[in-house]
Amino acid sequence: MLVVTALASAISGFLYGYDTGIISGALLQIGDEFDISRVQEQTITAGILVGAVIGAFVGSRLAERLGRHRTILVVAAVFVAGTLLCSVAPSATTLSLARVLLGTAVGAATQTVPMFVAELAPPAQRGRLVLSFQLAIGAGILVATLVGASQQFSWRLSIGAAAVPAALLFLLVLKQPESPRWLVKVDRVDEARSTLQRLRGTAGAQDVERELDEIRDLVAHEQDAPVRGWPGLRQGWVRPAVVVGCGIALFTQLSGIEMVVYYTPTILTGVGFTRSDALLASVALASTYLVAQLVGLAVVDRVGRRRLALVTTPGAAAALLLLGALFVTGRDSPGTAWLIVTLLVVFMAFTSAGLQLIGWLTGSEVYPLSVRPAGTAAQSMTLWGTNAVLSLTILSMIDGIGEGPTFWVYAAFNVLAFLFVLRRVPELKGRSLEDIEGSLRSGTFRPGAV
């Protein structure tokens, strides 16, 4: 059952990666068909991100009211509808609006799916199971860039093809269990016990009852709490979780990865690369993203979330600093293509294996049960809102200050991300969700204290 849940999580992650990544190569074809401006390029790219902000908020409400399971079914249906509408859009404006609808599914999925998997998984396996979502994002981006680089398919077919995995997601989730934590919250304790027994397999009845008792104790705390949900995020003891979750979400976007994923072909063709070479560079970057995610996934539950980010973030900052220097000194030419692409690959390897990897995982772990849907929604909205703002401004920033200073700005953001993790983010590996909540309540949710 956990394997099927992880597979469903992976498909939703794949859809996120594919639907956001396909626009990179598709923009070149869309520009030819609709004769769009720089502003329209940014608007089409950012449409899915604006929708994601809306979807994250709506998804949190649905997850609380309908349960995690039924919410994911709704999300899968919207994925299908949004994908098909994008593929038949008759103009740049309708394409932008259709991508907003598609984005609501992306945002709701990023808010609900990691939380759903985290609530089903045992602590020892939670990192790997939740990160199947993150790993699949890399696979989706890779497939999207391969499709774009092949230049064999129209952008309409490339975008519309995502309806197939979206339909498969719906079918897989259809027979999955509801989160036992949500079942206890709505007073369906027997169903929660049955689900835990099926999920834990060889675990003894005593272990299941112990886990169920922990969940029931937390639910009792939640029901006795004077505030919960969105108002509960303002409580003093919850605030450290909000700072960590939303802070990590902010820096995963400020790292510069979206600039590289969305606009690499546009940036490289602007400095003299042929269209084919620029698209091949995107394939190299997407492949690096996936491989680095695999490496990070293999070590995260041993090395730890915090340490992995602290080791990798300085490497990402250094790569961006050197890239900026190349552009500022005028060495950004086809003759130095190998060095530009190498530095982009180095940046992608460091940020994918570290900050990007722990971003989704941390968000699924840090929030107390009483505010978990609201907390994960706030984190997703922070992530997608930042992503949308950046996507709407990156090309304009490049036009205004140049590629080199733009890379330096994002290098500075990586330095700030390192300092944030160093001073704010505690280590969470191997700890149950209930134990993490206990550290929040006791005021020990900080580096060196947990």
Side-chain angles (χ1 to χ4, degrees):
M1 192 180 297
L2 283 174
V3 169
V4 175
T5 302
L7 180 59
S9 173
I11 292 175
S12 64
F14 176 89
L15 286 167
Y16 160 28
Y18 186 88
D19 286 329
T20 55
I22 195 64
I23 201 65
S24 175
L27 269 180
L28 301 177
Q29 292 185 27
I30 293 169
D32 292 339
E33 180 173 338
F34 294 139
D35 190 25
I36 56 178
S37 66
R38 284 279 218 187
V39 172
Q40 288 174 308
E41 285 185 16
Q42 293 178 149
T43 302
I44 290 172
T45 301
I48 198 170
L49 310 174
V50 172
V53 176
I54 299 169
F57 177 77
V58 174
S60 72
R61 297 301 181 107
L62 291 178
E64 190 70 8
R65 181 169 297 183
L66 301 180
R68 287 53 157 155
H69 177 255
R70 282 186 287 180
T71 298
I72 296 174
L73 292 177
V74 173
V75 167
V78 176
F79 260 124
V80 174
T83 297
L84 294 178
L85 287 173
C86 286
S87 69
V88 299
S91 68
T93 300
T94 52
L95 176 59
S96 297
L97 293 174
R99 280 176 61 80
V100 171
L101 176 63
L102 180 59
T104 61
V106 173
T110 58
Q111 184 273 328
T112 307
V113 173
M115 175 177 63
F116 178 61
V117 178
E119 291 185 346
L120 291 180
Q125 300 175 31
R126 188 176 64 241
R128 289 185 177 87
L129 288 174
V130 171
L131 288 176
S132 64
F133 178 85
Q134 175 69 22
L135 183 61
I137 295 174
I141 292 173
L142 176 58
V143 172
T145 53
L146 287 171
V147 170
S150 72
Q151 303 184 64
Q152 298 298 310
F153 307 99
S154 73
W155 67 267
R156 295 182 184 277
L157 178 60
S158 299
I159 291 176
V164 176
L168 180 58
L169 172 64
F170 183 91
L171 294 175
L172 276 176
V173 174
L174 195 59
K175 294 187 177 181
Q176 286 301 98
E178 181 55 85
S179 160
R181 288 169 173 82
W182 184 82
L183 290 171
V184 172
K185 286 179 68 174
V186 295
D187 201 26
R188 291 157 60 179
V189 178
D190 289 340
E191 289 181 54
R193 179 183 291 105
S194 176
T195 297
L196 282 172
Q197 289 170 343
R198 294 166 63 197
L199 287 168
R200 301 300 177 252
T202 57
Q206 190 174 14
D207 294 332
V208 169
E209 287 300 324
R210 185 182 304 114
E211 184 174 357
L212 186 61
D213 286 341
E214 287 183 346
I215 296 171
R216 293 170 76 173
D217 287 344
L218 283 180
V219 169
H221 277 299
E222 176 193 359
Q223 292 173 342
D224 292 338
V227 287
R228 65 187 74 171
W230 286 91
L233 296 179
R234 295 194 295 267
Q235 297 175 98
W237 69 276
V238 176
R239 195 172 300 123
V242 178
V243 170
V244 167
C246 291
I248 287 290
L250 179 71
F251 283 115
T252 59
Q253 304 310 297
L254 293 178
S255 69
I257 192 167
E258 305 306 341
M259 171 179 62
V260 173
V261 170
Y262 295 153
Y263 294 122
T264 288
T266 303
I267 293 172
L268 293 183
T269 54
V271 297
F273 281 56
T274 66
R275 179 178 291 196
S276 296
D277 288 343
L279 291 171
L280 286 175
S282 291
V283 172
L285 292 172
S287 300
T288 302
Y289 185 106
L290 183 58
V291 171
Q293 293 269 292
L294 285 168
V295 173
L297 180 63
V299 303
V300 67
D301 280 329
R302 295 196 300 273
V303 174
R305 288 80 160 133
R306 181 174 186 272
R307 185 182 301 173
L308 192 60
L310 291 176
V311 168
T312 55
T313 304
L320 291 176
L321 283 171
L322 292 174
L323 273 167
L326 279 178
F327 282 85
V328 167
T329 58
R331 298 178 182 177
D332 52 316
S333 66
T336 58
W338 66 272
L339 183 55
I340 293 173
V341 174
T342 297
L343 287 172
L344 285 170
V345 166
V346 170
F347 162 76
M348 184 65 80
F350 278 115
T351 195
S352 301
L355 201 59
Q356 305 303 316
L357 193 73
I358 71 165
W360 298 109
L361 179 57
T362 302
S364 70
E365 294 177 322
V366 296
Y367 298 106
L369 182 63
S370 62
V371 298
R372 190 167 296 151
T376 54
Q379 179 163 341
S380 292
M381 292 171 70
T382 301
L383 184 150
W384 291 115
T386 307
N387 197 335
V389 170
L390 295 179
S391 298
L392 284 168
T393 58
I394 286 171
L395 294 181
S396 297
M397 182 185 294
I398 289 172
D399 289 342
I401 65 175
E403 289 88 348
T406 300
F407 281 121
W408 283 348
V409 168
Y410 284 99
F413 286 143
N414 277 273
V415 173
L416 292 176
F418 175 86
L419 296 175
F420 176 80
V421 173
L422 182 67
R423 303 203 42 188
R424 292 284 187 173
V425 181
E427 185 53 71
L428 304 177
K429 70 170 183 176
R431 305 183 66 216
S432 71
L433 300 181
E434 291 71 30
D435 183 38
I436 294 169
E437 179 166 342
S439 70
L440 283 165
R441 290 183 179 276
S442 64
T444 59
F445 187 81
R446 58 181 182 271
V450 295

